[in-house]
Amino acid sequence: MAYNLLKGKKGIIFGALDENSIAWKTAERVHEEGGTFVLTNAPIAMRMGQIKELAEKTNSQIIPADATSEEDLQNLVTQSMEILGGKLDFVLHSIGMSVNVRKGRAYTDEKYDFTTKGWDVSALSFHKVMQSLYKADAMNEWGSIVALTYMAAQRTFPDYNDMADNKAYLESVARSFGYFFGKEKRVRVNTISQSPTPTTAGQGVKGFDGFISYAEKMSPLGNASAADCANYTVSLFSDLTKKVTMQNLYHDGGFSNTGVSQEVIDEFSE
């Protein structure tokens, strides 16, 4: 059901790869709610995914950009405002990658060149995106910037590896840049701490299927899906949340506040 929550609003959506990705679902919902946007992803990711299909479905243009490149991001911001006809109202940062995870290296045996690359892509890129927007004065007042995170930033999940450190840094960037964007531009910056979600990136984590099952048993409302997260993101892009900023917002069916559930007790009591 659509409510025209984003009618007339314009933005950029980073990270749509395929129909399993949260960014993909968010783009579909933003389109349904009347928003218009530019889609962007790294050139290599675009070759792997089906972003052209999404662009056709949502009547959007695609601008390839490496989110670790300041030059690419400056070009992205400038072109997006030209295509969309003015300043932006929303931006979604849905980017994450660990080379250590991909290469099967344990947290206690990191290759630091891999670590640095993953940090740049997954965390520092959020600062680079916002700095590009800030310097270009590209955001309308009461605009909204959202990044996706995971509660491994607060609690230890051994196989999440160095991505946990990346997410902690990402959340800190949201708070710090959120202060300046709020004071000087009246722009909101928040992170959504999402349930484990079977995206292409998520499925690369060792033992991911087992953990999804565990989280489902632990969460009073069950895991939040990619589609659920898209709905939540739309609410943060809308004018209904104009005074919400610098927050890490848990969207996990109650997992983050549950010590143990009866289902988990029953599982280990059998």
Side-chain angles (χ1 to χ4, degrees), residues 169-196:
Y169 188 95
L170 177 91
E171 292 174 17
S172 180
V173 167
R175 290 187 293 271
S176 297
F177 223 125
Y179 173 84
F180 294 102
F181 247 132
K183 288 289 288 184
E184 299 173 28
K185 308 286 188 181
R186 293 291 183 266
V187 171
R188 298 162 279 158
V189 181
N190 296 288
T191 53
I192 295 175
S193 188
Q194 167 70 2
S195 293

Side-chain angles (χ1 to χ4, degrees), residues 47-66:
R47 291 195 294 271
M48 293 167 53
Q50 298 96 42
I51 193 170
K52 290 182 181 177
E53 176 187 327
L54 178 63
E56 291 174 2
K57 182 176 182 180
T58 60
N59 194 30
S60 304
Q61 292 194 41
I62 304 168
I63 302 175
D66 177 352

Side-chain angles (χ1 to χ4, degrees), residues 205-224:
V205 177
K206 181 182 175 184
F208 191 74
D209 290 343
F211 186 67
I212 285 185
S213 177
Y214 169 74
E216 180 72 24
K217 287 183 171 66
M218 277 285 288
S219 307
L221 296 180
N223 289 333

Side-chain angles (χ1 to χ4, degrees), residues 220-241:
L221 296 180
N223 289 333
S225 68
D228 293 329
C229 190
N231 285 328
Y232 194 33
T233 304
V234 163
S235 75
L236 290 174
F237 286 167
S238 78
D239 291 336
L240 299 177
T241 51

